[in-house]
Amino acid sequence: MRPDPKKLLEWIKPSPPTKEERECMKLLQPGDYEIYTEKLNNFLLESKEIFIKLGVSSMLRSGDVVTGIYTPTGDMVAAWCGTYLHAVVGQLPIKFVAETWLDEPTVGCKDGDIFYASDPLYGGIHNCDQIVIMPVFNDGELIAWTNAAVHQPETGACEPGGMPLTAKTRHDEGMLLSPIKIGENFRLREDLVEMCVNLMSRAPRMQAIDMRARLSAADRLRQRIVSLAQEKGNDFVKGLFRRIVIEAEEGTRRRIKEWNDGTYRAVTFMDIVGEKHKLVRNFLTLHKKGDQIIWDFTGTSPETDSPQHCMPHALAANIAIHLMSYSFNDLPVSAGVLAPMEFIVPEGCMFNPHFEAAQSNSAPSCHGGMTLGTICMSKLMFDSPQRELVAAATGNTGVGVLVSGVNQWGVLIADFLAYGLNSEGHGARSDMDGVDAFGFSHCPTGRTPDIEDIEIEYQFLNLLAKLNKDSCGFGKNRGGAGTEIVHIVNYVPYALYNSHVKGSKIRNCMGLFGGYPPSTLPGIEVFHTNIWEKMKRGDKDLPSSAMQLISERTIKGDYKIDSIFQKTHVMENGDLWVVFSGGGGGYGDALERDPEMVMDDLRREIISHWTAENIYHVAYNSETLEADVEKTEQLRQQEREDRKARGTTWAEFEKEWSQLRPPEDILDYYGSWPDGKKTREIIRL
Amino acid sequence: MGTKRQITEYLDIDLEKELWCCNRCGYELISARENYKKGCSIYIRKDLATIYNSPLKGPFTFAPDPTWAMLVEFYCPACGTMFENEMLPPGHPVTHDIELDIDKLKEKHLSASTNKK
Ligand SMILES: [Zn+2]
């Protein structure tokens, strides 16, 4: 009964229009498409606002959510994004319900029913992402589906926080819900809600409230569509929906057709497997021919006994974030955009593992794939009318910082500290710098939670929160800066903390056309501090940046400089740690950056003087920050000469390069070197 | 020259000559049917602290671990512009990142009389 991965992948694309839908499309008068598409967007906006206002967990409150509208067969018509990936995979459990439960006598589907799902094997991303689905009936006819989805930061897994690094199989990952009917007559069934809440015993309140928030959002959307159908008729609604999907598909194909036929490749590397620092490779070969794009991930490292996997449909949904927010951002957020895309994801690679594999870290495991998508699409789009959409990769560190325990109000929590998560740097673009602290790599509209709010709700004091100097990828246009925040355990004796942040060894974010990738991110923790004494005394030497914290060490304690990636461990009252979010990739040769912009970066503390001098080769007065343009040109010309002097020919390069190899012990999970082919079987218990 | 198409920020393809050229200085690199990187001046940056300044020393800093990663930089042999770079584990093959259908490109931009061989 469970759909196989091929079917799930196929389901992300729209089904062909039915004869009836084609007839219904004729009901649209001139102007109707424009007016009613906008009306749907307003419905979505309203449902999103309701969602955010009613929920409690931090990603929900940050707006890392989706609400969506789907055809009766489950094709995405429109969505509030939010999390584009959830809009795309939102189709799959609907298609499963439509195909499996609709005519099943013991389940069925009627007005007021509520379905609920979280299992990636039935179309989700990872089991943290809980989706509510509602059928939309008008005059007894099923005319649409609505949904609302958001990541729930607790799943009842073997570790708190829903994304256990130690998970070896899906059986370590807590609640995995195949699509079930969880309510009738517009009400949740309390016995089933209790089942979910009971499974989330580390954070029951969050589960209980957020389930209702999802339902309220999906139901408001349902009510609006019913009223639209009552006003305009069911056939009009069906025609409108299909027209939106077709417009998106036709617009996408038209644009692809204009681009240069060819093959584009990119490779990136991830530095974590399970709870260890190990090297794995993600590889993309993108073929563009005519009006079609083929995404071939052959060459990606094999599956492992870790939770860093995703299914092919989840990879495709993460790729869609780029497609819908850059390349086709002006087209409707609908399944039509995915119609011209084919995905080749070999069985047994980390993007297509055995069904027993753990995949609770699915979303962060896709960051490499997302980088590859942005880079290949940018190389494809440069010689096209879409040049302004060409960009280096977004930070893609996936700043998953998970805390749990009892907060200062005596309430059990297990949640993200979502500041870093929603403040990664954006990739530099062909015509401008990347946006600083732009948002969440899966959700461009995500906002960092208010610092005071974090302190009111959670057992942490935030010593500082700001842009992280020198975190951007340098270039003619620089990447957006990432951020830094220092959390201190407050009010309570201890809290649990783990971090899924990648990029202490090598970053999976790439620059473009000579722009540099951004810096790596170390982990900084200080135990047994004297922070409260200092605050009580009113000491004025508290650090105002992470750099100052570690270089001046005015806060006494046991400093630990390690990986930013951390297993679950105890932090006691007064212990503190730094969370960095990654900057975005740079664009173009740093020697072409306008010296005035470099001065501006200095003024805004985006870069250091060291970087201005050594990377940008700008001559300037360090007091007044006035650039000497003439001298700068001389310095830059000298650097160009130095490059030519130190550069070698391809043959000389190959001779030296082919002799090098990374240390054997980091290649345990890589697959064969260097092509990442499967070298062993994974036996899962 | 009317037969050049700008393919990246720094690289043109001369359609008639079928050559990759530097967009900044015009230097002719290599056949457009080859990986342009083979026509570049190439530098292996082994010490990444020369790009990522870090007051931290030891295995975890603001620069990638040198045993995990090196930067391969591709320069114009004539004007020294950096066309591209790749952060790779030591010895990992360089990527053939752009392989255009040159015949299609010529068909699209050159007059109908210019036929492919
Ligand atoms: Zn040149």
Side-chain angles (χ1 to χ4, degrees), chain B residues 22 25 76 79:
Chain B
C22 173
C25 75
C76 173
C79 71

Side-chain angles (χ1 to χ4, degrees), chain A residues 352-373:
Chain A
N352 192 358
H354 188 271
F355 69 88
E356 284 287 317
Q359 46 180 314
S360 46
N361 283 250
S362 160
S365 305
C366 288
H367 288 139
M370 289 155 65
T371 288
L372 300 177

Side-chain angles (χ1 to χ4, degrees), chain A residues 460-537:
Chain A
F460 304 98
L461 179 128
N462 306 305
L463 186 63
L464 60 94
K466 64 196 298 191
L467 296 179
N468 174 15
K469 195 186 280 182
D470 281 341
S471 61
C472 56
F474 311 124
K476 175 185 178 184
N477 298 323
R478 63 165 178 84
T483 59
E484 59 188 48
I485 183 165
V486 174
H487 300 295
I488 308 172
V489 179
N490 194 11
Y491 304 117
V492 296
Y494 70 92
L496 294 173
Y497 146 63
N498 69 44
S499 153
H500 299 69
V501 192
K502 297 182 287 295
S504 278
K505 291 290 190 183
I506 184 171
R507 284 288 298 274
N508 61 358
C509 172
M510 296 167 72
L512 186 67
F513 302 149
Y516 281 118
S519 71
T520 46
L521 308 168
I524 300 165
E525 293 175 296
V526 191
F527 301 95
H528 314 115
T529 70
N530 64 342
I531 183 75
W532 305 135
E533 291 155 48
K534 284 181 79 64
M535 284 188 168
K536 222 174 257 169
R537 277 202 303 267

Side-chain angles (χ1 to χ4, degrees), chain B residues 10 21-27 29 75-81 83:
Chain B
Y10 297 118
C21 305
C22 173
N23 172 274
R24 295 298 190 262
C25 75
Y27 178 82
L29 286 163
Y75 308 134
C76 173
C79 71
T81 296
F83 295 146

Side-chain angles (χ1 to χ4, degrees), chain A residues 440-460:
Chain A
F440 177 32
S441 45
H442 300 276
C443 177
T445 54
R447 319 163 286 185
T448 62
D450 183 89
I451 291 296
E452 308 285 333
D453 278 355
I454 300 176
E455 293 178 352
I456 290 168
E457 289 176 37
Y458 300 102
Q459 56 272 44
F460 304 98

Side-chain angles (χ1 to χ4, degrees), chain A residues 258-267 269-271 277-279 281 283 379 382-383 387 468 474 476 504-506 511-522 547 550 561-563 580 587-589 592 610 615 640 643-644 646-650 653 656-657 660-663 666 670 673-674, chain B residues 5-10 24 35-38 40-46 49-53 55-56 59-65 67-101 104-105 108-109:
Chain A
E258 285 185 3
W259 297 339
N260 292 334
D261 280 1
T263 299
Y264 303 81
R265 296 182 192 85
V267 63
F269 303 88
M270 190 166 86
D271 65 351
H277 269 298
K278 298 287 174 184
L279 186 74
R281 174 173 104 145
F283 199 96
K379 288 181 177 174
F382 187 89
D383 179 26
R387 185 175 296 181
N468 174 15
F474 311 124
K476 175 185 178 184
S504 278
K505 291 290 190 183
I506 184 171
L512 186 67
F513 302 149
Y516 281 118
S519 71
T520 46
L521 308 168
M547 202 60 89
I550 49 175
I561 312 294
D562 198 346
S563 171
F580 292 112
Y587 177 99
D589 189 344
E592 291 192 355
W610 187 93
I615 305 299
R640 289 187 181 100
R643 285 174 176 179
K644 288 194 289 179
R646 67 181 177 241
T648 64
T649 63
W650 174 260
F653 161 75
E656 181 184 357
W657 188 245
L660 304 177
R661 197 179 152 105
I666 69 169
Y670 183 94
W673 175 262
Chain B
R5 287 298 297 181
Q6 189 180 359
I7 303 299
T8 82
E9 176 70 32
Y10 297 118
R24 295 298 190 262
N35 184 353
Y36 67 84
K37 290 174 181 170
K38 294 184 178 178
C40 294
S41 171
I42 309 172
Y43 174 60
I44 306 170
R45 190 179 288 277
K46 294 177 181 166
T50 55
I51 301 294
Y52 307 102
N53 183 37
L56 297 172
F60 293 98
T61 73
F62 291 95
D65 185 324
T67 66
W68 286 59
M70 292 180 184
L71 255 172
V72 183
E73 300 184 348
F74 302 93
Y75 308 134
C76 173
C79 71
T81 296
M82 181 154 57
F83 295 146
E84 191 53 283
N85 63 60
E86 284 197 71
M87 181 75 78
L88 297 171
H92 185 283
V94 156
T95 313
H96 187 182
D97 59 337
I98 305 177
E99 193 177 348
L100 292 175
D101 185 331
K104 271 273 172 61
L105 199 65
K108 193 161 143 189
H109 298 293

Side-chain angles (χ1 to χ4, degrees), chain A residues 110-123:
Chain A
K110 59 185 185 311
D111 199 13
D113 282 351
I114 304 158
F115 291 87
Y116 210 72
S118 71
D119 192 336
L121 296 181
Y122 291 80

